[in-house]
PDB file of all heavy atoms in Angstrom:
ATOM      1  N   VAL A   1       0.857  -1.184   0.000  1.00 91.00           N
ATOM      2  CA  VAL A   1       0.000   0.000   0.000  1.00 91.00           C
ATOM      3  C   VAL A   1       0.894   1.235   0.000  1.00 91.00           C
ATOM      4  O   VAL A   1       2.070   1.152   0.378  1.00 91.00           O
ATOM      5  CB  VAL A   1      -0.939   0.035   1.234  1.00 91.00           C
ATOM      6  CG1 VAL A   1      -1.903  -1.137   1.224  1.00 91.00           C
ATOM      7  CG2 VAL A   1      -0.167   0.090   2.535  1.00 91.00           C
ATOM      8  N   PRO A   2       0.352   2.393  -0.385  1.00 93.00           N
ATOM      9  CA  PRO A   2       1.148   3.622  -0.300  1.00 93.00           C
ATOM     10  C   PRO A   2       1.488   3.946   1.156  1.00 93.00           C
ATOM     11  O   PRO A   2       0.724   3.622   2.073  1.00 93.00           O
ATOM     12  CB  PRO A   2       0.224   4.694  -0.885  1.00 93.00           C
ATOM     13  CG  PRO A   2      -0.822   3.959  -1.643  1.00 93.00           C
ATOM     14  CD  PRO A   2      -0.956   2.616  -1.007  1.00 93.00           C
ATOM     15  N   VAL A   3       2.621   4.596   1.375  1.00 90.00           N
ATOM     16  CA  VAL A   3       3.054   4.910   2.728  1.00 90.00           C
ATOM     17  C   VAL A   3       2.050   5.838   3.423  1.00 90.00           C
ATOM     18  O   VAL A   3       1.862   5.745   4.638  1.00 90.00           O
ATOM     19  CB  VAL A   3       4.495   5.485   2.737  1.00 90.00           C
ATOM     20  CG1 VAL A   3       4.540   6.925   2.257  1.00 90.00           C
ATOM     21  CG2 VAL A   3       5.112   5.354   4.115  1.00 90.00           C
ATOM     22  N   ASN A   4       1.372   6.692   2.674  1.00 93.00           N
ATOM     23  CA  ASN A   4       0.358   7.553   3.287  1.00 93.00           C
ATOM     24  C   ASN A   4      -0.803   6.736   3.848  1.00 93.00           C
ATOM     25  O   ASN A   4      -1.410   7.117   4.850  1.00 93.00           O
ATOM     26  CB  ASN A   4      -0.151   8.596   2.296  1.00 93.00           C
ATOM     27  CG  ASN A   4       0.879   9.684   2.057  1.00 93.00           C
ATOM     28  OD1 ASN A   4       1.765   9.902   2.868  1.00 93.00           O
ATOM     29  ND2 ASN A   4       0.763  10.364   0.935  1.00 93.00           N
ATOM     30  N   THR A   5      -1.108   5.627   3.213  1.00 93.00           N
ATOM     31  CA  THR A   5      -2.155   4.733   3.728  1.00 93.00           C
ATOM     32  C   THR A   5      -1.727   4.152   5.071  1.00 93.00           C
ATOM     33  O   THR A   5      -2.540   4.032   5.992  1.00 93.00           O
ATOM     34  CB  THR A   5      -2.443   3.607   2.718  1.00 93.00           C
ATOM     35  OG1 THR A   5      -2.862   4.187   1.484  1.00 93.00           O
ATOM     36  CG2 THR A   5      -3.506   2.656   3.229  1.00 93.00           C
ATOM     37  N   VAL A   6      -0.447   3.809   5.184  1.00 91.00           N
ATOM     38  CA  VAL A   6       0.077   3.285   6.451  1.00 91.00           C
ATOM     39  C   VAL A   6      -0.091   4.325   7.550  1.00 91.00           C
ATOM     40  O   VAL A   6      -0.571   4.019   8.642  1.00 91.00           O
ATOM     41  CB  VAL A   6       1.563   2.887   6.318  1.00 91.00           C
ATOM     42  CG1 VAL A   6       2.161   2.552   7.682  1.00 91.00           C
ATOM     43  CG2 VAL A   6       1.724   1.723   5.366  1.00 91.00           C
ATOM     44  N   TRP A   7       0.278   5.584   7.263  1.00 91.00           N
ATOM     45  CA  TRP A   7       0.172   6.635   8.288  1.00 91.00           C
ATOM     46  C   TRP A   7      -1.291   6.880   8.667  1.00 91.00           C
ATOM     47  O   TRP A   7      -1.588   7.109   9.840  1.00 91.00           O
ATOM     48  CB  TRP A   7       0.826   7.930   7.811  1.00 91.00           C
ATOM     49  CG  TRP A   7       2.303   7.784   7.583  1.00 91.00           C
ATOM     50  CD1 TRP A   7       2.996   8.150   6.470  1.00 91.00           C
ATOM     51  CD2 TRP A   7       3.279   7.218   8.477  1.00 91.00           C
ATOM     52  NE1 TRP A   7       4.322   7.850   6.613  1.00 91.00           N
ATOM     53  CE2 TRP A   7       4.530   7.280   7.831  1.00 91.00           C
ATOM     54  CE3 TRP A   7       3.214   6.663   9.749  1.00 91.00           C
ATOM     55  CZ2 TRP A   7       5.702   6.814   8.427  1.00 91.00           C
ATOM     56  CZ3 TRP A   7       4.385   6.199  10.333  1.00 91.00           C
ATOM     57  CH2 TRP A   7       5.608   6.280   9.672  1.00 91.00           C
ATOM     58  N   THR A   8      -2.183   6.799   7.689  1.00 93.00           N
ATOM     59  CA  THR A   8      -3.606   6.973   7.989  1.00 93.00           C
ATOM     60  C   THR A   8      -4.101   5.843   8.878  1.00 93.00           C
ATOM     61  O   THR A   8      -4.818   6.064   9.862  1.00 93.00           O
ATOM     62  CB  THR A   8      -4.425   7.029   6.684  1.00 93.00           C
ATOM     63  OG1 THR A   8      -3.960   8.115   5.896  1.00 93.00           O
ATOM     64  CG2 THR A   8      -5.900   7.191   6.956  1.00 93.00           C
ATOM     65  N   ARG A   9      -3.715   4.615   8.543  1.00 92.00           N
ATOM     66  CA  ARG A   9      -4.113   3.468   9.364  1.00 92.00           C
ATOM     67  C   ARG A   9      -3.558   3.584  10.780  1.00 92.00           C
ATOM     68  O   ARG A   9      -4.250   3.288  11.759  1.00 92.00           O
ATOM     69  CB  ARG A   9      -3.632   2.167   8.716  1.00 92.00           C
ATOM     70  CG  ARG A   9      -4.395   1.804   7.465  1.00 92.00           C
ATOM     71  CD  ARG A   9      -3.813   0.577   6.805  1.00 92.00           C
ATOM     72  NE  ARG A   9      -4.581   0.218   5.629  1.00 92.00           N
ATOM     73  CZ  ARG A   9      -4.267  -0.772   4.811  1.00 92.00           C
ATOM     74  NH1 ARG A   9      -3.200  -1.522   5.058  1.00 92.00           N
ATOM     75  NH2 ARG A   9      -5.010  -1.042   3.758  1.00 92.00           N
ATOM     76  N   LEU A  10      -2.301   4.015  10.892  1.00 90.00           N
ATOM     77  CA  LEU A  10      -1.700   4.187  12.212  1.00 90.00           C
ATOM     78  C   LEU A  10      -2.425   5.254  13.021  1.00 90.00           C
ATOM     79  O   LEU A  10      -2.673   5.073  14.218  1.00 90.00           O
ATOM     80  CB  LEU A  10      -0.224   4.565  12.084  1.00 90.00           C
ATOM     81  CG  LEU A  10       0.743   3.422  11.875  1.00 90.00           C
ATOM     82  CD1 LEU A  10       2.129   3.950  11.537  1.00 90.00           C
ATOM     83  CD2 LEU A  10       0.812   2.539  13.106  1.00 90.00           C
ATOM     84  N   TYR A  11      -2.758   6.352  12.374  1.00 90.00           N
ATOM     85  CA  TYR A  11      -3.475   7.435  13.059  1.00 90.00           C
ATOM     86  C   TYR A  11      -4.786   6.915  13.646  1.00 90.00           C
ATOM     87  O   TYR A  11      -5.083   7.112  14.819  1.00 90.00           O
ATOM     88  CB  TYR A  11      -3.735   8.582  12.087  1.00 90.00           C
ATOM     89  CG  TYR A  11      -4.675   9.626  12.634  1.00 90.00           C
ATOM     90  CD1 TYR A  11      -4.221  10.590  13.524  1.00 90.00           C
ATOM     91  CD2 TYR A  11      -6.021   9.624  12.284  1.00 90.00           C
ATOM     92  CE1 TYR A  11      -5.086  11.540  14.049  1.00 90.00           C
ATOM     93  CE2 TYR A  11      -6.899  10.561  12.802  1.00 90.00           C
ATOM     94  CZ  TYR A  11      -6.420  11.523  13.685  1.00 90.00           C
ATOM     95  OH  TYR A  11      -7.285  12.454  14.199  1.00 90.00           O
ATOM     96  N   HIS A  12      -5.572   6.237  12.804  1.00 92.00           N
ATOM     97  CA  HIS A  12      -6.872   5.728  13.261  1.00 92.00           C
ATOM     98  C   HIS A  12      -6.711   4.601  14.281  1.00 92.00           C
ATOM     99  O   HIS A  12      -7.488   4.510  15.239  1.00 92.00           O
ATOM    100  CB  HIS A  12      -7.718   5.265  12.078  1.00 92.00           C
ATOM    101  CG  HIS A  12      -8.184   6.393  11.214  1.00 92.00           C
ATOM    102  ND1 HIS A  12      -9.078   7.339  11.655  1.00 92.00           N
ATOM    103  CD2 HIS A  12      -7.855   6.744   9.950  1.00 92.00           C
ATOM    104  CE1 HIS A  12      -9.293   8.221  10.705  1.00 92.00           C
ATOM    105  NE2 HIS A  12      -8.564   7.882   9.658  1.00 92.00           N
ATOM    106  N   ALA A  13      -5.701   3.750  14.087  1.00 90.00           N
ATOM    107  CA  ALA A  13      -5.478   2.647  15.035  1.00 90.00           C
ATOM    108  C   ALA A  13      -5.099   3.193  16.409  1.00 90.00           C
ATOM    109  O   ALA A  13      -5.601   2.712  17.426  1.00 90.00           O
ATOM    110  CB  ALA A  13      -4.389   1.722  14.516  1.00 90.00           C
ATOM    111  N   ARG A  14      -4.234   4.195  16.443  1.00 88.00           N
ATOM    112  CA  ARG A  14      -3.853   4.795  17.730  1.00 88.00           C
ATOM    113  C   ARG A  14      -5.064   5.416  18.416  1.00 88.00           C
ATOM    114  O   ARG A  14      -5.256   5.243  19.627  1.00 88.00           O
ATOM    115  CB  ARG A  14      -2.784   5.866  17.518  1.00 88.00           C
ATOM    116  CG  ARG A  14      -1.419   5.321  17.226  1.00 88.00           C
ATOM    117  CD  ARG A  14      -0.445   6.449  16.991  1.00 88.00           C
ATOM    118  NE  ARG A  14       0.875   5.952  16.708  1.00 88.00           N
ATOM    119  CZ  ARG A  14       1.691   6.508  15.826  1.00 88.00           C
ATOM    120  NH1 ARG A  14       1.326   7.583  15.162  1.00 88.00           N
ATOM    121  NH2 ARG A  14       2.886   5.996  15.626  1.00 88.00           N
ATOM    122  N   LYS A  15      -5.836   6.136  17.636  1.00 90.00           N
ATOM    123  CA  LYS A  15      -7.022   6.793  18.180  1.00 90.00           C
ATOM    124  C   LYS A  15      -7.979   5.742  18.773  1.00 90.00           C
ATOM    125  O   LYS A  15      -8.467   5.894  19.893  1.00 90.00           O
ATOM    126  CB  LYS A  15      -7.705   7.578  17.059  1.00 90.00           C
ATOM    127  CG  LYS A  15      -8.758   8.525  17.493  1.00 90.00           C
ATOM    128  CD  LYS A  15      -9.229   9.344  16.293  1.00 90.00           C
ATOM    129  CE  LYS A  15     -10.375  10.245  16.682  1.00 90.00           C
ATOM    130  NZ  LYS A  15     -10.827  11.067  15.568  1.00 90.00           N
ATOM    131  N   GLU A  16      -8.233   4.680  18.012  1.00 90.00           N
ATOM    132  CA  GLU A  16      -9.101   3.603  18.493  1.00 90.00           C
ATOM    133  C   GLU A  16      -8.506   2.918  19.721  1.00 90.00           C
ATOM    134  O   GLU A  16      -9.216   2.620  20.678  1.00 90.00           O
ATOM    135  CB  GLU A  16      -9.309   2.551  17.396  1.00 90.00           C
ATOM    136  CG  GLU A  16     -10.288   2.930  16.328  1.00 90.00           C
ATOM    137  CD  GLU A  16     -10.460   1.793  15.332  1.00 90.00           C
ATOM    138  OE1 GLU A  16     -10.984   0.731  15.732  1.00 90.00           O
ATOM    139  OE2 GLU A  16     -10.053   1.965  14.176  1.00 90.00           O
ATOM    140  N   PHE A  17      -7.193   2.646  19.656  1.00 87.00           N
ATOM    141  CA  PHE A  17      -6.537   1.944  20.755  1.00 87.00           C
ATOM    142  C   PHE A  17      -6.689   2.718  22.058  1.00 87.00           C
ATOM    143  O   PHE A  17      -7.071   2.156  23.088  1.00 87.00           O
ATOM    144  CB  PHE A  17      -5.053   1.711  20.441  1.00 87.00           C
ATOM    145  CG  PHE A  17      -4.325   0.981  21.525  1.00 87.00           C
ATOM    146  CD1 PHE A  17      -4.392  -0.395  21.614  1.00 87.00           C
ATOM    147  CD2 PHE A  17      -3.593   1.678  22.479  1.00 87.00           C
ATOM    148  CE1 PHE A  17      -3.734  -1.083  22.633  1.00 87.00           C
ATOM    149  CE2 PHE A  17      -2.930   1.013  23.495  1.00 87.00           C
ATOM    150  CZ  PHE A  17      -2.999  -0.368  23.567  1.00 87.00           C
ATOM    151  N   PHE A  18      -6.377   4.011  22.030  1.00 86.00           N
ATOM    152  CA  PHE A  18      -6.455   4.804  23.259  1.00 86.00           C
ATOM    153  C   PHE A  18      -7.897   4.964  23.738  1.00 86.00           C
ATOM    154  O   PHE A  18      -8.149   4.958  24.942  1.00 86.00           O
ATOM    155  CB  PHE A  18      -5.767   6.150  23.075  1.00 86.00           C
ATOM    156  CG  PHE A  18      -4.268   6.020  22.950  1.00 86.00           C
ATOM    157  CD1 PHE A  18      -3.605   6.473  21.826  1.00 86.00           C
ATOM    158  CD2 PHE A  18      -3.527   5.414  23.957  1.00 86.00           C
ATOM    159  CE1 PHE A  18      -2.231   6.334  21.709  1.00 86.00           C
ATOM    160  CE2 PHE A  18      -2.149   5.268  23.851  1.00 86.00           C
ATOM    161  CZ  PHE A  18      -1.495   5.734  22.716  1.00 86.00           C
ATOM    162  N   ALA A  19      -8.835   5.076  22.818  1.00 88.00           N
ATOM    163  CA  ALA A  19     -10.247   5.165  23.207  1.00 88.00           C
ATOM    164  C   ALA A  19     -10.700   3.858  23.857  1.00 88.00           C
ATOM    165  O   ALA A  19     -11.380   3.873  24.895  1.00 88.00           O
ATOM    166  CB  ALA A  19     -11.115   5.504  22.001  1.00 88.00           C
ATOM    167  N   LEU A  20     -10.324   2.727  23.255  1.00 87.00           N
ATOM    168  CA  LEU A  20     -10.698   1.425  23.812  1.00 87.00           C
ATOM    169  C   LEU A  20     -10.023   1.179  25.158  1.00 87.00           C
ATOM    170  O   LEU A  20     -10.629   0.625  26.077  1.00 87.00           O
ATOM    171  CB  LEU A  20     -10.350   0.306  22.824  1.00 87.00           C
ATOM    172  CG  LEU A  20     -11.210   0.242  21.566  1.00 87.00           C
ATOM    173  CD1 LEU A  20     -10.560  -0.658  20.521  1.00 87.00           C
ATOM    174  CD2 LEU A  20     -12.610  -0.251  21.896  1.00 87.00           C
ATOM    175  N   ALA A  21      -8.759   1.601  25.282  1.00 83.00           N
ATOM    176  CA  ALA A  21      -8.043   1.432  26.553  1.00 83.00           C
ATOM    177  C   ALA A  21      -8.694   2.270  27.649  1.00 83.00           C
ATOM    178  O   ALA A  21      -8.859   1.801  28.782  1.00 83.00           O
ATOM    179  CB  ALA A  21      -6.572   1.806  26.389  1.00 83.00           C
ATOM    180  N   ALA A  22      -9.085   3.501  27.314  1.00 84.00           N
ATOM    181  CA  ALA A  22      -9.751   4.368  28.292  1.00 84.00           C
ATOM    182  C   ALA A  22     -11.092   3.771  28.705  1.00 84.00           C
ATOM    183  O   ALA A  22     -11.453   3.773  29.891  1.00 84.00           O
ATOM    184  CB  ALA A  22      -9.939   5.761  27.710  1.00 84.00           C
ATOM    185  N   LYS A  23     -11.819   3.243  27.736  1.00 86.00           N
ATOM    186  CA  LYS A  23     -13.112   2.615  28.012  1.00 86.00           C
ATOM    187  C   LYS A  23     -12.925   1.397  28.925  1.00 86.00           C
ATOM    188  O   LYS A  23     -13.692   1.192  29.868  1.00 86.00           O
ATOM    189  CB  LYS A  23     -13.759   2.210  26.693  1.00 86.00           C
ATOM    190  CG  LYS A  23     -15.162   1.720  26.790  1.00 86.00           C
ATOM    191  CD  LYS A  23     -15.701   1.437  25.391  1.00 86.00           C
ATOM    192  CE  LYS A  23     -17.084   0.871  25.424  1.00 86.00           C
ATOM    193  NZ  LYS A  23     -17.596   0.579  24.076  1.00 86.00           N
ATOM    194  N   TYR A  24     -11.899   0.611  28.651  1.00 82.00           N
ATOM    195  CA  TYR A  24     -11.621  -0.561  29.486  1.00 82.00           C
ATOM    196  C   TYR A  24     -11.283  -0.140  30.908  1.00 82.00           C
ATOM    197  O   TYR A  24     -11.788  -0.719  31.870  1.00 82.00           O
ATOM    198  CB  TYR A  24     -10.472  -1.383  28.886  1.00 82.00           C
ATOM    199  CG  TYR A  24     -10.114  -2.548  29.761  1.00 82.00           C
ATOM    200  CD1 TYR A  24     -10.826  -3.737  29.699  1.00 82.00           C
ATOM    201  CD2 TYR A  24      -9.093  -2.435  30.706  1.00 82.00           C
ATOM    202  CE1 TYR A  24     -10.519  -4.794  30.533  1.00 82.00           C
ATOM    203  CE2 TYR A  24      -8.786  -3.488  31.548  1.00 82.00           C
ATOM    204  CZ  TYR A  24      -9.501  -4.664  31.453  1.00 82.00           C
ATOM    205  OH  TYR A  24      -9.204  -5.707  32.296  1.00 82.00           O
ATOM    206  N   ARG A  25     -10.403   0.868  31.063  1.00 80.00           N
ATOM    207  CA  ARG A  25     -10.027   1.342  32.398  1.00 80.00           C
ATOM    208  C   ARG A  25     -11.240   1.848  33.171  1.00 80.00           C
ATOM    209  O   ARG A  25     -11.395   1.562  34.355  1.00 80.00           O
ATOM    210  CB  ARG A  25      -8.971   2.445  32.293  1.00 80.00           C
ATOM    211  CG  ARG A  25      -7.571   1.924  32.109  1.00 80.00           C
ATOM    212  CD  ARG A  25      -6.533   2.998  32.338  1.00 80.00           C
ATOM    213  NE  ARG A  25      -6.667   4.116  31.427  1.00 80.00           N
ATOM    214  CZ  ARG A  25      -6.075   4.214  30.247  1.00 80.00           C
ATOM    215  NH1 ARG A  25      -5.306   3.232  29.836  1.00 80.00           N
ATOM    216  NH2 ARG A  25      -6.246   5.275  29.489  1.00 80.00           N
ATOM    217  N   LEU A  26     -12.113   2.599  32.492  1.00 80.00           N
ATOM    218  CA  LEU A  26     -13.306   3.131  33.135  1.00 80.00           C
ATOM    219  C   LEU A  26     -14.216   1.991  33.600  1.00 80.00           C
ATOM    220  O   LEU A  26     -14.695   1.985  34.734  1.00 80.00           O
ATOM    221  CB  LEU A  26     -14.059   4.062  32.181  1.00 80.00           C
ATOM    222  CG  LEU A  26     -15.317   4.715  32.729  1.00 80.00           C
ATOM    223  CD1 LEU A  26     -14.973   5.623  33.905  1.00 80.00           C
ATOM    224  CD2 LEU A  26     -16.004   5.510  31.627  1.00 80.00           C
ATOM    225  N   LYS A  27     -14.414   1.024  32.732  1.00 79.00           N
ATOM    226  CA  LYS A  27     -15.251  -0.130  33.078  1.00 79.00           C
ATOM    227  C   LYS A  27     -14.649  -0.905  34.245  1.00 79.00           C
ATOM    228  O   LYS A  27     -15.340  -1.297  35.174  1.00 79.00           O
ATOM    229  CB  LYS A  27     -15.388  -1.039  31.846  1.00 79.00           C
ATOM    230  CG  LYS A  27     -16.243  -2.258  32.069  1.00 79.00           C
ATOM    231  CD  LYS A  27     -16.313  -3.074  30.800  1.00 79.00           C
ATOM    232  CE  LYS A  27     -17.043  -4.373  31.022  1.00 79.00           C
ATOM    233  NZ  LYS A  27     -17.033  -5.211  29.837  1.00 79.00           N
ATOM    234  N   HIS A  28     -13.341  -1.105  34.183  1.00 71.00           N
ATOM    235  CA  HIS A  28     -12.647  -1.851  35.248  1.00 71.00           C
ATOM    236  C   HIS A  28     -12.713  -1.087  36.565  1.00 71.00           C
ATOM    237  O   HIS A  28     -12.921  -1.686  37.620  1.00 71.00           O
ATOM    238  CB  HIS A  28     -11.201  -2.102  34.828  1.00 71.00           C
ATOM    239  CG  HIS A  28     -10.446  -2.967  35.773  1.00 71.00           C
ATOM    240  ND1 HIS A  28     -10.737  -4.301  35.950  1.00 71.00           N
ATOM    241  CD2 HIS A  28      -9.428  -2.685  36.623  1.00 71.00           C
ATOM    242  CE1 HIS A  28      -9.929  -4.806  36.861  1.00 71.00           C
ATOM    243  NE2 HIS A  28      -9.120  -3.844  37.280  1.00 71.00           N
ATOM    244  N   ARG A  29     -12.574   0.223  36.525  1.00 72.00           N
ATOM    245  CA  ARG A  29     -12.626   1.043  37.741  1.00 72.00           C
ATOM    246  C   ARG A  29     -14.010   0.955  38.368  1.00 72.00           C
ATOM    247  O   ARG A  29     -14.147   0.852  39.578  1.00 72.00           O
ATOM    248  CB  ARG A  29     -12.283   2.492  37.395  1.00 72.00           C
ATOM    249  CG  ARG A  29     -11.992   3.336  38.613  1.00 72.00           C
ATOM    250  CD  ARG A  29     -11.538   4.740  38.255  1.00 72.00           C
ATOM    251  NE  ARG A  29     -10.352   4.724  37.428  1.00 72.00           N
ATOM    252  CZ  ARG A  29     -10.178   5.494  36.350  1.00 72.00           C
ATOM    253  NH1 ARG A  29     -11.108   6.336  35.977  1.00 72.00           N
ATOM    254  NH2 ARG A  29      -9.077   5.424  35.649  1.00 72.00           N
ATOM    255  N   LYS A  30     -15.065   0.998  37.538  1.00 70.00           N
ATOM    256  CA  LYS A  30     -16.425   0.907  38.054  1.00 70.00           C
ATOM    257  C   LYS A  30     -16.694  -0.444  38.710  1.00 70.00           C
ATOM    258  O   LYS A  30     -17.419  -0.545  39.689  1.00 70.00           O
ATOM    259  CB  LYS A  30     -17.450   1.142  36.935  1.00 70.00           C
ATOM    260  CG  LYS A  30     -17.555   2.591  36.537  1.00 70.00           C
ATOM    261  CD  LYS A  30     -18.607   2.762  35.485  1.00 70.00           C
ATOM    262  CE  LYS A  30     -18.716   4.227  35.088  1.00 70.00           C
ATOM    263  NZ  LYS A  30     -19.729   4.444  34.052  1.00 70.00           N
ATOM    264  N   MET A  31     -16.079  -1.492  38.152  1.00 66.00           N
ATOM    265  CA  MET A  31     -16.259  -2.825  38.721  1.00 66.00           C
ATOM    266  C   MET A  31     -15.615  -2.928  40.099  1.00 66.00           C
ATOM    267  O   MET A  31     -16.079  -3.683  40.955  1.00 66.00           O
ATOM    268  CB  MET A  31     -15.669  -3.892  37.791  1.00 66.00           C
ATOM    269  CG  MET A  31     -16.491  -4.102  36.535  1.00 66.00           C
ATOM    270  SD  MET A  31     -15.734  -5.210  35.324  1.00 66.00           S
ATOM    271  CE  MET A  31     -15.200  -6.568  36.283  1.00 66.00           C
ATOM    272  N   LEU A  32     -14.544  -2.179  40.324  1.00 63.00           N
ATOM    273  CA  LEU A  32     -13.829  -2.244  41.598  1.00 63.00           C
ATOM    274  C   LEU A  32     -14.465  -1.375  42.678  1.00 63.00           C
ATOM    275  O   LEU A  32     -14.182  -1.559  43.858  1.00 63.00           O
ATOM    276  CB  LEU A  32     -12.370  -1.830  41.412  1.00 63.00           C
ATOM    277  CG  LEU A  32     -11.512  -2.771  40.555  1.00 63.00           C
ATOM    278  CD1 LEU A  32     -10.125  -2.180  40.364  1.00 63.00           C
ATOM    279  CD2 LEU A  32     -11.429  -4.151  41.189  1.00 63.00           C
TER     280      LEU A  32
END
């Protein structure tokens, strides 16, 4: 794929990763 596609995928993957991690932490904190 073009290198710009890689950077776009990385941008969205990071954004999703941090959002999912925050959601997991919040859920885990509420359980405790």
Side-chain angles (χ1 to χ4, degrees):
V1 297
V3 75
N4 287 338
T5 301
V6 171
W7 297 130
T8 301
R9 289 175 178 176
L10 277 171
Y11 170 80
H12 291 293
R14 285 178 180 142
K15 192 174 176 179
E16 282 182 66
F17 181 82
F18 291 121
L20 290 166
K23 188 176 177 181
Y24 177 83
R25 278 194 300 270
L26 181 63
K27 181 180 174 184
H28 186 68
R29 194 175 302 136
K30 285 182 180 180
M31 288 173 46
L32 294 175

